[in-house]
Amino acid sequence: MNYIDVFNGDADGICALIQLRKANPRSSQLVTGVKRDIDLLKRIDATPGDYISVLDISFDKNRSDVKRLLDQGASIEYFDHHYCGALLNHTRLKTVINDQSSDVCTGLIVDQHIGGRFRAWALVAAFGDNMNTVAMTLGQESGYDVNSLKTLQLLGMYINYNSYGKDLSDLFYHPDMLYQHLQPYESPFDFLQEDTVIFKTLDSGYKEDLERAKSSPFLYQSAESAVVMFGNEKWARRINGVFINDLANRHPNRAHAVITDSSGNVCSVNIRVPLNRKTSPADQLAREFATGGGRKSAAGINALPMSQVNRFIDAFKVYFS
């Protein structure tokens, strides 16, 4: 039997797997990538008896490969919070999916699944997904003081920041390497105390990229919504996800989109709903475009042709007017 762990390379995917493997230790093959690389199951060919754990990637986007792997004889457990569509009914498929709430992430789903045994890592996951109110409330209920929670918030944001990029060369750390650095530590506080290099590297990179992002132009801006455009630069591909979270936190009554030029002909899009008025779901808008998806409060389009940018902006205005 082969054990294979498939996980999104962002803070939520990494911290969800950390919890799962601390609760159920096992050696496994790791399959991950940049945050937008969600077709991860395509990389796997299973043999009968293989056991595959999938965390924080859309079931809807991987349905055909789930079926293929089940047909090859694998067993699959699937944890996620993105739009899932119709699930498959199979004796070797176990799904723990909640795509109905905008206040849950995969790390919190795993936290509930294992009885909150590694709560601090679940909080890092939630902070990384910009669920700051949810994470602060749960953290205080769990006995953490505000300063400790702010430390976890920074770590979650920086791990998430590391996941954004067109490909792995844009990142400071490969997500599977980052997972392997973090996983041995009982809590994120132990990691921060004993291994300072990673945190300092991401802290420095984030601050430099954020200053560049703040000078980028708005394509559209109103009281209800705003759209920012980034050029085809490494720093832009790294910062777009956490920058849009920053915009959402600073302007909680406004919806936001960040469009990042990927090649001159294609761009990626990040979408966030207003934190104070969660109206139209972000994933519904994203799915109007071929490579779009996500969750109700945060979604994206992986490869939007530049010729469709104006169409997207028009739709975005209507959704969040």
Side-chain angles (χ1 to χ4, degrees), residues 284-302:
Q284 184 175 320
L285 170 59
R287 291 200 308 275
E288 290 189 11
F289 300 85
T291 60
R295 48 192 172 88
K296 294 181 183 297
S297 59
I301 304 169
N302 286 347

Side-chain angles (χ1 to χ4, degrees), residues 21 94 98 112 122 131 171 177 188 212 265 275 297 316:
R21 284 297 150 258
K94 177 183 179 182
N98 180 354
Q112 184 176 27
M131 296 180 180
L171 311 186
M177 187 273 280
R212 296 186 181 101
N265 297 316
L275 295 178
S297 59
F316 178 77

